[in-house]
Amino acid sequence: MRYADTTEIGVAMTSGGENLLPILDAPGIERMRPLFGLHNQQLSEILQEFSVSAYRVGQLSRAIYRNWIEDLADVTNLSKDLRDRLTQAGYHIGLPSIVETYKSVDGTERYLISTYDGQTVETVWMPEGDDGEAGDGSETGYHDSTICVSSQIGCAVNCQFCLTAKLGIIRNLTAGEIAGQVVAVLKRHAVQIGRDRINLVFMGMGEPFLNYDAFMDAVRLLVHEVGIAESRMTVSTSGIMPGILRFAQEPVRPKLAISLNASNDKVREQIMPITRKWDIQHLVNAVRQVPLRSKEKLTFEYVLLGGVNDQLSHADEAGKLLRRVGRPLKVNLIVWNPGPHMPYDMPPPHRVMEFQARLKHNGIPAFIRRPRGRDIYAACGQLKRTVAVRTNPLLPVFPFLPDEP
Ligand code: SAH
Ligand code: SF4
């Protein structure tokens, strides 16, 4: 078992911010042998074990990542003999599957997607506008939709306003489980890569930068094998400074969003205890290292909690702070999405508008994010696993009992 500690990225925090929790990587995954999630070099090595020329890797990779074939037996461009031998050796495709769907009145869909060890993870599909029709109203089945992807089961960061935090951290997702959420949802909606516009936001359950390697492996698979442009991806972090610094060095990477959520360390510490480890100034210094591409902007998210961080003085303070960042940026204002037993209030609509206006007055472009799927707990910060399924009786189910739907 690997324990997160403060010497690496994986700092895991509970209420006081000091306790360390185990961060489990997927247990027993090496015995399961899923192919989905492996990059081409790894697939080539497997083929070579079976004395098959590495040049066939393209066929296998296309079957998995482009054609979304779920059963090895259906990969008919490989010989039957090879398919049988792979299966006998325990290999299978292992694309995660959607086990439950919740549909919102606004068209948003929230899925529970099962992983190999019987855990479930949440993924959200947000169709844009007229849901499946072209923007001009013609019925072409054209999509411009967004998939919100999880990076961990639960989260260790313990932001006080976030429902996912209540789960604690259960385990890291593998690269296959992260990229697999995307493919499972693309397949459900018969999305055509190259024709339909798909945006990915890594803003589901978990802190992507506390599962850095698997998250970035998944990004590379999605870009190089599945075929989604990195410019259509955004990752949000609560501010894991070493992760931001590593991210700044990546040749292929999504756009970056930072969950700022407060205009000073005092307020931020109350609502995001991780501030005690890396304060706002550390974050600002780290994001300045990220080389931006042409027209790229940093995003700062700001969850508005009524009476806590939504005063006009906070908008002034945030404006001042963000001007000092000295990089192209914008603010996304998110009205707090309520959850059961949480001691916060939504700010009144006029306050949200005033806050936005004040930021703009201070020279900061600010947008109010439309809440999606609130009625099905699919909106930001509402993702919390609601059902545990057990698909593999050989593996343990982690002790988690949902306390509300
Ligand atoms: N862990 C990452 C990404 C997932 S959370 C992060 O914290 O950035 C995605 C966004 O949802 C973050 O900006 C977070 O501040 C916001 N969020 C969390 N709980 C929320 C809630 N109840 N209402 C509105 N936004 C929330
Ligand atoms: Fe984790 Fe993000 Fe929720 Fe904070 S807001 S607890 S980092 S998922």
Side-chain angles (χ1 to χ4, degrees), residues 309-370:
N309 63 358
D310 65 341
Q311 308 301 302
L312 294 182
S313 58
H314 294 131
D316 288 337
E317 200 175 21
K320 211 163 150 196
L321 167 83
L322 291 169
R323 277 201 309 274
R324 283 206 314 268
V325 176
R327 311 298 302 277
L329 57 81
K330 64 174 172 150
V331 170
N332 274 351
L333 295 171
I334 313 171
V335 176
W336 179 65
N337 291 309
H341 317 303
M342 305 198 80
Y344 295 107
D345 291 312
M346 291 164 74
H350 72 87
R351 174 42 55 96
V352 178
M353 309 292 284
E354 286 161 8
F355 198 93
Q356 178 194 29
R358 195 66 163 244
L359 277 175
K360 285 181 162 172
H361 174 77
N362 281 299
I364 305 294
F367 303 86
I368 300 170
R369 270 234 317 250
R370 185 159 61 104

Side-chain angles (χ1 to χ4, degrees), residues 33-226:
R33 302 195 147 179
L35 297 171
F36 195 101
L38 302 183
H39 53 72
N40 279 1
Q41 179 59 31
Q42 292 166 312
L43 292 175
S44 303
E45 283 162 17
I46 292 171
L47 289 180
Q48 277 161 12
E49 273 175 43
F50 289 83
S51 313
V52 173
S53 162
Y55 88 86
R56 293 216 169 255
V57 73
Q59 289 168 332
L60 182 55
S61 171
R62 245 189 329 278
I64 298 173
Y65 297 118
R66 292 279 173 163
N67 301 333
W68 309 331
I69 293 175
E70 290 183 53
D71 190 340
L72 206 44
D74 297 331
V75 185
T76 48
N77 54 9
L78 297 181
S79 72
K80 169 129 182 22
D81 173 60
L82 175 60
R83 284 178 270 153
D84 289 347
R85 284 191 295 142
L86 284 166
T87 308
Q88 273 155 22
Y91 288 108
H92 60 117
I93 293 186
L95 175 67
S97 54
I98 295 175
V99 290
E100 197 86 55
T101 301
Y102 304 89
K103 291 188 183 181
S104 164
V105 288
D106 68 15
T108 299
E109 293 185 3
R110 174 169 72 106
Y111 311 106
L112 294 183
I113 295 192
S114 77
T115 61
Y116 74 94
D117 60 349
Q119 299 287 328
T120 54
V121 64
E122 308 210 357
T123 311
V124 180
W125 163 261
M126 291 167 278
E128 205 38 73
D130 45 10
D131 188 11
E133 289 183 4
D136 61 4
S138 59
E139 293 191 29
T140 62
Y142 178 93
H143 290 299
D144 186 350
S145 306
T146 301
I147 302 173
C148 178
V149 186
S150 294
S151 55
Q152 297 182 305
I153 307 182
C155 187
V157 180
N158 201 29
C159 303
Q160 301 295 296
F161 48 82
C162 172
L163 207 51
T164 304
K166 301 221 158 169
L167 275 178
I169 179 71
I170 295 171
R171 74 165 167 84
N172 278 331
L173 293 175
T174 64
E177 289 168 336
I178 298 171
Q181 294 166 60
V182 176
V183 168
V185 175
L186 294 174
K187 191 167 176 178
R188 172 184 168 88
H189 291 277
V191 169
Q192 289 189 27
I193 299 294
R195 186 195 69 165
D196 300 323
R197 277 205 298 267
I198 292 296
N199 307 297
L200 302 183
V201 293
F202 296 94
M203 299 186 184
M205 294 167 77
E207 169 47 63
F209 285 0
L210 288 182
N211 185 16
Y212 189 89
D213 291 324
F215 159 67
M216 279 308 300
D217 280 346
V219 165
R220 285 184 283 267
L221 282 174
L222 290 163
V223 173
H224 300 310
E225 309 307 333
V226 179

Side-chain angles (χ1 to χ4, degrees), residues 10-22:
V11 58
M13 304 176 72
T14 57
S15 51
E18 288 84 26
N19 300 340
L20 294 180
L21 293 169

Side-chain angles (χ1 to χ4, degrees), residues 230-234 253-256 290-299 327-330 365 367:
E230 76 221 67
S231 57
R232 294 208 156 263
M233 303 179 185
T234 304
R253 59 161 184 81
K255 290 182 283 187
L256 181 63
V290 180
L292 298 182
R293 295 159 287 214
S294 111
K295 296 202 187 134
E296 184 178 352
K297 284 184 178 166
L298 293 164
T299 301
R327 311 298 302 277
L329 57 81
K330 64 174 172 150
F367 303 86

